[in-house]
């Protein structure tokens, strides 16, 4: 019996013995298996070309690299104990077990290899929710998912972090405020990395809503954090809104970044991002248009750009897998190639995507996406090298699946990216095909 199963049996036994004292305990999550075939990518977890700890696509013209194939597997479990109407305790963890391989988090044992017995259970979230009696306010304390949110396409940060979040109504405004500690460093020194967030949303009517956000990443340490330089105050100001009528909706967001160096103006920088959306509801699905623009970095020091972050969630809502983030990826290639090779490198980003989903008979479904992307400037002042062309390329993607017994979701998805001249004349096009079993519970 593997150590993982032993640990889970002990946890469940403890929960069973404590059941009389529990008001309401629920367990949910997913079990996901993915067999992947794809174009060459960086060696697993080495981070050579991308900042995150994930395997991503190789965009050089190295013809000696081979295509990759592997079977990824993950289980996520979220245990929620509702003690009463006001207090809830949550633990959310995961275990990775790729076929015949260890995951990056396997501390000992074989993981997904022969004999299994891998030790590598991770805690994603662990927090307490408190609903303030007789009010609309609640407080969440502990490790939790947080960030700028889907309004800003997963840029800057969308991750698990330790801190305190409060939310509630202040008149017509739904407020959310958070303070999170990313790095403590020395307990007796002012060398921490803190994240402060404030957001307010107003629902004018059933058709109209808008919101404002203000975030600060305050880095008082001597090392870079989340892609930004050390000793900086990074301010983010955002606005978003949406309007819906019948089966048609429009939305947009605007995000500004202003970075201030604490010791020197050499790290000062400014940039911004615009997203525009149009969505239509169809008889058995929907279709969405999405346009994005991020200007090129024309500064002399390479500071007028968004910094690469560790979240790995940029452009995740367009059903893309290569130029956008593959929303189902676990340990395989994230995608978002254009973000990491263009936007984060100072060339900016322009793109237009079309995506949607369609319900088919017999509990089947279809999802699709296509997007064309360009660099805002192939030779900006803030980039280290000039490119011969701004054309990043075109991606087309689709997914078809079917649910058996309501929960047993089997699908196959694939994507092909026609690589533009931005990457050179001898770069092969990229592809990714995934057969997936995804059981949500």
């Amino acid at each position: 019996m593997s150590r993982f199963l032993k640990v889970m049996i002990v946890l469940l036994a403890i929960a069973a013995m404590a059941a009389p004292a529990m008001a309401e305990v629920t367990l949910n999550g997913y079990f996901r298996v993915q067999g992947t075939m794809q174009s060459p990518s960086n060696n697993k977890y080495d981070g050579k070309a991308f900042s995150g700890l994930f395997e991503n696509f190789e965009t050089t013209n190295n013809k000696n690299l081979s295509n990759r194939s592997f079977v990824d597997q993950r289980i996520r479990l979220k245990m929620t104990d509702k003690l009463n109407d006001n207090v809830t305790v949550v633990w959310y963890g995961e275990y990775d077990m790729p076929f015949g391989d260890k995951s990056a988090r396997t501390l000992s044992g074989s993981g997904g290899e022969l004999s299994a017995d891998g030790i590598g259970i991770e805690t994603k979230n662990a927090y307490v929710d408190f609903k303030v009696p007789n009010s609309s306010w609640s407080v969440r304390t502990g490790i939790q998912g947080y960030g700028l949110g889907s309004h800003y396409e997963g840029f800057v940060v969308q991750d698990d972090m330790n801190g305190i979040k409060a939310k509630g109504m202040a008149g017509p405004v739904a407020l959310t405020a958070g303070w999170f500690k990313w790095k403590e460093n020395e307990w007796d020194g002012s060398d921490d990395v803190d994240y402060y967030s404030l957001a307010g949303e107003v629902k004018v009517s059933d058709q109209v809503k808008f919101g404002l956000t203000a975030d600060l990443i305050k880095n008082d340490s001597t090392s870079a954090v989340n892609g930004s330089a050390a000793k900086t105050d990074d301010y983010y100001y955002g606005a978003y809104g949406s309007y819906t009528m019948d089966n048609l909706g429009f939305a947009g967001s605007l995000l500004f970044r202003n970075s201030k160096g604490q010791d020197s103006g050499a790290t000062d920088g400014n940039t911004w991002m615009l997203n525009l959306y149009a969505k239509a509801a169809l008889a058995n699905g929907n279709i969405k248009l999405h346009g994005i623009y991020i200007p090129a970095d024309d500064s002399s020091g390479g500071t007028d750009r968004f910094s690469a972050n560790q979240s790995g969630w940029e452009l995740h809502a367009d059903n893309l897998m290569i130029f956008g983030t593959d929303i189902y990826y676990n340990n395989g290639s994230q995608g978002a190639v254009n973000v990491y090779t263009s936007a984060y490198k100072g060339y900016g980003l322009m793109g237009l995507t079309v995506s949607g989903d369609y319900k088919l008979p017999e509990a089947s479904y279809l999802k699709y996406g296509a997007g064309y992307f360009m660099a805002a400037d192939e030779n900006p002042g803030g980039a280290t090298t000039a490119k011969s062309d701004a054309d990043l390329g075109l991606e087309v993607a689709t997914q078809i699946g079917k649910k058996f017994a309501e929960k047993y979701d089997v699908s196959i998805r694939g994507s092909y990216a026609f690589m533009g001249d931005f990457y050179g004349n001898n770069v092969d096009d990229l592809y990714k095909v995934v057969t997936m079993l995804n059981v949500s519970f």
Side-chain angles (χ1 to χ4, degrees):
M1 183 181 296
S2 72
R3 290 188 180 93
F4 172 73
L5 290 178
K6 291 177 182 177
V7 171
M8 293 309 303
I9 290 173
V10 171
L11 290 175
L12 292 175
I14 293 173
M17 289 185 292
M22 296 179 181
E24 182 182 344
V25 178
T26 58
L27 186 67
N28 63 293
Y30 67 76
F31 188 97
R32 185 177 296 167
V33 186
Q34 302 188 82
T36 299
M37 294 184 62
Q38 67 169 62
S39 296
S41 57
N42 295 327
N43 293 330
K44 287 188 293 186
Y45 318 122
D46 67 1
K48 287 189 297 185
F50 297 88
S51 62
L53 294 179
F54 44 73
E55 184 184 56
N56 223 317
F57 292 95
E58 183 65 65
T59 56
T60 69
N61 57 0
N62 188 345
K63 300 296 183 179
N64 296 321
L65 296 174
S66 300
N67 293 340
R68 293 190 181 272
S69 61
F70 54 92
V71 179
D72 193 14
Q73 187 173 237
R74 167 179 290 176
I75 185 171
R76 278 192 172 178
L77 296 170
K78 183 177 182 181
M79 183 179 292
T80 303
D81 187 356
K82 186 176 181 181
L83 304 181
N84 54 45
D85 290 340
N86 299 104
V87 182
T88 302
V89 180
V90 172
W91 177 84
Y92 187 21
E94 72 180 33
Y95 180 64
D96 288 330
M97 40 194 164
F99 280 26
D101 200 358
K102 297 180 181 181
S103 79
R105 275 75 66 180
T106 301
L107 300 178
S108 64
S110 300
E113 297 175 343
L114 182 64
S115 297
D117 281 349
I119 298 177
I121 297 177
E122 301 175 84
T123 294
K124 300 290 293 180
N125 294 165
Y127 57 82
V128 173
D129 271 337
F130 173 59
K131 293 182 180 179
V132 180
N134 304 315
S135 79
S136 64
W137 286 86
S138 64
V139 179
R140 177 172 294 181
T141 306
I143 302 175
Q144 56 194 282
Y146 197 81
L148 270 67
S150 59
H151 304 294
Y152 309 109
E153 291 292 329
F155 278 74
V156 184
V157 64
Q158 191 69 40
D159 215 336
D160 300 311
M161 58 190 75
N162 216 345
I164 302 173
K165 178 186 73 176
K167 65 178 182 179
M169 299 299 298
V173 183
L175 288 177
T176 302
W179 164 63
F180 301 91
K181 181 72 67 175
W182 287 3
K183 189 72 172 179
E184 173 61 37
N185 288 313
E186 299 298 328
W187 287 12
D188 58 353
S190 299
D191 54 0
D192 304 341
V193 182
D194 294 275
Y195 172 47
Y196 303 90
S197 178
L198 179 63
E201 183 176 287
V202 176
K203 186 177 181 180
V204 179
S205 65
D206 291 339
Q207 290 76 39
V208 180
K209 69 177 181 180
F210 67 89
L212 300 173
T213 58
D215 298 78
L216 167 63
I217 300 174
K218 186 172 181 59
N219 184 0
D220 292 324
S221 72
T222 56
S223 60
V225 171
N226 205 47
S228 63
K231 292 288 185 180
T232 55
D233 293 332
D234 294 334
Y235 295 90
Y236 296 89
Y237 307 101
Y240 63 90
S242 65
Y243 172 72
T244 58
M245 55 180 182
D246 297 327
N247 296 325
L248 190 63
F250 302 93
S253 69
L254 187 62
L255 179 66
F256 291 93
R257 169 185 176 268
N258 175 246
S259 183
K260 295 291 186 181
Q262 298 177 10
D263 300 328
S264 170
T267 56
D268 291 0
N270 302 279
T271 191
W272 55 278
M273 173 174 61
L274 173 67
N275 287 281
L276 296 175
Y277 311 86
K279 189 173 184 178
L282 307 176
N284 292 301
N286 65 75
I287 185 171
K288 181 183 72 173
L289 292 175
H290 171 209
I292 183 172
Y293 178 78
I294 301 173
D297 181 355
D298 288 318
S299 68
S300 58
T303 57
D304 290 344
R305 69 183 71 169
F306 287 101
S307 301
N309 62 69
Q310 302 297 320
S311 304
W313 205 236
E314 298 90 343
L315 300 181
H316 62 275
D318 294 328
N319 291 339
L320 301 179
M321 302 167 62
I322 298 173
F323 285 132
T325 291
D326 181 354
I327 194 171
Y328 296 106
Y329 92 97
N330 289 333
N331 299 295
S333 295
Q334 173 212 355
V337 168
N338 52 10
V339 177
Y340 284 86
T341 58
S342 185
Y344 289 158
K345 296 296 185 180
Y347 301 97
L349 181 65
M350 298 186 294
L352 180 65
T353 68
V354 56
S355 61
D357 60 74
Y358 191 79
K359 293 181 181 179
L360 300 173
E362 303 297 329
S364 299
Y365 59 87
L366 171 70
K367 297 182 180 181
Y368 58 89
Y372 174 70
F373 299 92
M374 295 180 62
D377 189 342
E378 69 269 22
N379 186 24
T384 55
T385 58
K387 300 293 183 177
S388 60
D389 198 287
D391 179 24
L392 293 169
L394 168 69
E395 178 182 358
V396 290
T398 187
Q399 177 182 4
I400 186 167
K402 177 177 173 59
K403 289 186 178 181
F404 299 89
E406 297 182 351
K407 293 291 185 179
Y408 199 82
D409 190 343
V410 179
S411 67
I412 182 169
R413 66 184 188 276
S415 189
Y416 194 93
F418 301 89
M419 306 300 286
D421 291 339
F422 178 90
Y423 298 103
N425 297 323
N426 298 316
V427 176
D428 291 338
D429 294 337
L430 301 178
Y431 81 92
K432 182 179 180 180
V433 178
V434 182
T435 301
M436 180 175 68
L437 166 63
N438 192 39
V439 179
S440 299
F441 57 92

